[in-house]
Amino acid sequence: GYVANVTYTGYHSFRGGIYELDPQVGPLLKPNVRRPMYWSGHRWTHESNARGFRGPCPARTEAVFLGDSMIYGHGVESDATVPSRFAARSGLSTANLGQQGTSLLQSWLIFERKGLPLRPRLVFVAAHPTDVSDATMIYEPQMLSRWLRSAPGSFQPSARQKHQPRARWSPA
């Protein structure tokens, strides 16, 4: 149950976790990570490529997928994710920029950093009602309001302090 999820999950930014903390995005998938994952009795392997997303690491791709756990592939192997299945059925190269518990604002920031350089022809966005509460957990209300009022690319929001990168712990 709960104890197993806390003990065996990799959804954290501590040693052995799949995330690093980013000043704007908050939790962001680390590049080049391979580790077993666990959640509520489900086991799978998390693998991120050199650019920090699941699946192949192409120089250019036809389609990019953005979203939360449904796109990331929570509980399934990389070849069973929505982007991977789309690639197998369509024959188009894809990039899986999905991330567990990610809001649409975080997806947009990830797309600007990791998706735009891939020059995709198609962009698919999966959204769920919980994405709104995910945004309010990561960003202060004034940060969300300012981002919504700004011109695209003109303002980078800052994640809440608890989602900011931290200096390594030192006994000093």
Side-chain angles (χ1 to χ4, degrees), residues 11 38-40 42 44 54 68-76 81 100:
Y11 292 132
Y38 174 88
W39 193 261
S40 296
H42 297 280
W44 70 99
R54 282 185 96 180
D68 58 11
S69 58
M70 294 177 286
I71 297 301
Y72 162 79
H74 173 73
V76 301
T81 65
Q100 175 77 7

Side-chain angles (χ1 to χ4, degrees), residues 8-158:
Y8 299 119
T9 184
Y11 292 132
H12 57 78
S13 61
F14 303 108
R15 185 174 184 206
I18 65 171
Y19 294 122
E20 57 192 359
L21 294 177
D22 178 84
Q24 283 77 41
V25 178
L28 186 64
L29 288 177
K30 290 179 189 174
N32 299 316
V33 172
R34 179 182 167 85
R35 66 155 286 157
M37 298 289 284
Y38 174 88
W39 193 261
S40 296
H42 297 280
R43 296 179 186 279
W44 70 99
T45 303
H46 167 84
E47 295 177 271
S48 59
N49 60 40
R51 289 197 174 114
F53 55 88
R54 282 185 96 180
C57 188
R60 184 152 192 237
T61 189
E62 291 290 318
V64 165
F65 284 76
L66 305 171
D68 58 11
S69 58
M70 294 177 286
I71 297 301
Y72 162 79
H74 173 73
V76 301
E77 298 298 330
S78 291
D79 63 351
T81 65
V82 171
S84 181
R85 300 307 313 142
F86 176 84
R89 299 279 298 198
S90 69
L92 300 175
S93 62
T94 63
N96 180 354
L97 302 185
Q99 214 175 258
Q100 175 77 7
T102 298
S103 70
L104 289 173
L105 170 50
Q106 291 166 290
S107 289
W108 174 258
L109 295 171
I110 291 167
F111 176 69
E112 285 183 326
R113 291 181 192 182
K114 298 179 181 184
L116 283 176
L118 298 172
R119 300 185 359 235
R121 210 170 40 92
L122 304 167
V123 177
F124 295 96
V125 179
H128 189 271
T130 60
D131 293 345
V132 175
S133 61
D134 291 338
T136 60
M137 286 181 358
I138 301 294
Y139 303 100
E140 298 286 349
Q142 66 272 18
M143 199 61 62
L144 289 170
S145 178
R146 184 171 173 196
W147 183 78
L148 287 169
R149 291 190 322 266
S150 66
S154 67
F155 173 71
Q156 291 285 306
S158 294

